[in-house]
Amino acid sequence: MQRISRPRRRRIVAFGAVSSVALLALLGIVGGAAAAPATGRRQAGGAVIGPSTTNGRVRALTYNVAGLPEPLSGSEPSVNTPLISPRLNAYDLVLVQEDWIDPDPPVPPWDFHHDDLISQVTHPYRSTPATPPVGTDPRRPEALVADGLNRLSRYPFGSVTRRMWTGCFGGADTSDGGAGDCLALKGFSVARTEVDPGVEIDVYNVHGEAGGTELDEQLRADGYRQLAEFMAVHSAGRAVILGGDTNLHTDRPGAGAIWSEFLEATGLTDVCQAVDCGADDHEIDKFAFRSGGGVTIEALSHAFERDEFRRDDGEPLSDHDPLAVEFSWTHVSDGPSDPAAPRSAGPPAARGATPVAVAGRVSYTG
């Protein structure tokens, strides 16, 4: 897709910013391709002898939705966020940044737009947004909002683990060159996601330190080292998909070195190393991936969905462009399986779902 150049809007405060395919079809939910059945030598009775293979595809989107209250947002969220919502249904897995809920009780005139964002989505699994600190978190006393990291999914996922970057620079007064990062609990989140029964991928959502000062760049480097160290423990030997607003312009020497070091430390592959991204190779909104745990992941496509996320007047719906990547996965089991055998309560991803009613449709919050 040809890149459309347009100027970025300057922010006043920038925080850098169901259990089966059949049931999903019954609920009328549009989803990804169904996983192919297991293959292998079968005995009478249907037991699979030796390794068996399943495979499928995941259409993923990462999108910084610029959900700050107006006029702090780099966009017009009161107008744009309700327009974003139905467009998200075309994707199996959606990772969003700058998506916050209102404090409880509300703090006038602040108005955040998470309710607008999910108002028309049909994804059966949705993360619960983090609670706004409103200046009460002793680790970051200036922080008024949480991390802004949320996810929508056609696949069940377990509890969402959230981690704040250990350092930040920039408050409400941006005269020091900071980008207001200390006003939010920015960082990363991860949830173990079950794309097929017994097939799990650790999915990370990231929002990197913003700003153009030397200290900002140092903090970005520290943050990606922190993420790599966390991943080495939490996701050791596991398949991973990572997406988000990295705030890394990788065509610049410093940011390029940070990203390369991170990829090497984690064994991840930038999607643009696997497919031709053309002029979009170095955009800050990125996906990366790796195989592991018997799950092989490949990237099939990379496209910024600029035309799909525009208003009728041609204006984009955020100050970032949404990035869509299609992944394929293949899983090889280690031993015999019996399709007639009863299933256990399931892995953590399945057990962690709590049903809620959303717009007359059964849905779940992971």
Side-chain angles (χ1 to χ4, degrees), residues 2-364:
Q2 184 178 2
R3 181 178 182 183
I4 301 174
S5 298
R6 57 179 174 79
R8 298 286 187 193
R9 300 178 182 178
R10 184 177 181 182
R11 302 182 183 188
I12 296 177
V13 176
F15 291 162
V18 164
S19 54
S20 72
V21 172
L23 181 54
L24 288 178
L26 180 63
L27 295 175
I29 296 171
V30 179
T39 60
R41 295 188 294 110
R42 292 182 179 272
Q43 287 183 327
V48 179
I49 304 302
S52 62
T53 302
T54 53
N55 56 71
R57 293 188 178 187
V58 176
R59 194 174 189 215
L61 185 82
T62 180
Y63 196 12
N64 184 321
V65 296
L68 284 170
E70 297 181 56
L72 303 180
S73 173
S75 180
E76 296 178 277
S78 62
V79 175
N80 294 338
T81 310
L83 299 176
I84 291 173
S85 184
R87 289 166 164 84
L88 301 179
N89 292 326
Y91 308 92
D92 307 312
L93 174 66
V94 178
L95 305 176
V96 292
Q97 304 85 43
E98 295 197 11
D99 170 40
W100 292 287
I101 57 174
D102 291 312
D104 185 17
V107 181
W110 287 17
D111 182 15
F112 295 91
H113 303 278
H114 175 75
D115 289 345
D116 293 327
L117 188 72
I118 65 171
S119 62
Q120 300 177 69
V121 300
T122 59
H123 298 82
Y125 300 92
R126 309 169 193 178
S127 62
T128 301
T131 303
V134 197
T136 63
D137 192 321
R139 301 170 302 168
R140 191 167 293 180
E142 287 186 84
L144 303 175
V145 296
D147 58 15
L149 301 173
N150 286 301
R151 62 190 65 206
L152 311 170
S153 178
R154 303 283 180 208
Y155 312 104
F157 55 84
S159 60
V160 177
T161 300
R162 301 174 183 270
R163 289 290 184 271
M164 181 179 67
W165 302 127
T166 55
C168 68
F169 172 59
D173 181 359
T174 58
S175 62
D176 58 4
D181 287 283
C182 295
L183 299 176
L185 305 181
K186 286 176 60 174
F188 61 91
S189 68
V190 58
R192 196 146 288 168
T193 303
E194 190 180 47
V195 295
D196 202 49
V199 182
E200 295 179 341
I201 300 172
D202 286 359
V203 178
Y204 286 79
N205 189 4
V206 176
H207 194 180
E209 171 86 9
T213 70
E214 184 176 339
L215 180 54
D216 285 315
E217 184 158 300
Q218 176 186 325
L219 289 167
R220 275 192 291 274
D222 292 343
Y224 283 100
R225 292 189 192 103
Q226 176 188 343
L227 176 54
E229 291 170 0
F230 177 91
M231 194 178 295
V233 176
H234 184 83
S235 299
R238 301 183 59 84
V240 169
I241 289 175
L242 177 146
D245 173 3
T246 68
N247 271 312
L248 291 172
H249 296 272
T250 49
D251 53 345
R252 301 173 186 174
I258 293 170
W259 188 238
S260 295
E261 177 187 313
F262 172 69
L263 295 179
E264 183 177 359
T266 58
L268 292 170
T269 298
D270 187 324
V271 167
C272 290
Q273 296 173 331
V275 301
D276 184 3
C277 295
D280 291 325
D281 191 10
H282 299 291
E283 294 288 337
I284 64 176
D285 301 283
K286 298 181 183 296
F287 268 111
F289 66 98
R290 79 178 186 207
S291 302
V295 182
T296 300
I297 300 179
E298 295 182 0
L300 305 179
S301 65
H302 175 286
F304 281 96
E305 307 278 49
R306 298 182 175 103
D307 293 336
E308 289 77 3
F309 286 79
R310 287 185 180 276
R311 303 189 313 211
D312 290 343
D313 62 6
E315 284 295 307
L317 297 179
S318 175
D319 62 346
H320 283 246
D321 294 319
L323 172 60
V325 169
E326 185 169 19
F327 295 99
S328 68
W329 60 264
T330 301
H331 176 253
V332 180
S333 68
D334 293 330
S337 64
D338 183 352
R343 291 193 179 275
S344 65
R351 293 198 300 269
T354 303
V356 295
V358 178
R361 182 187 297 273
V362 176
S363 188
Y364 302 82

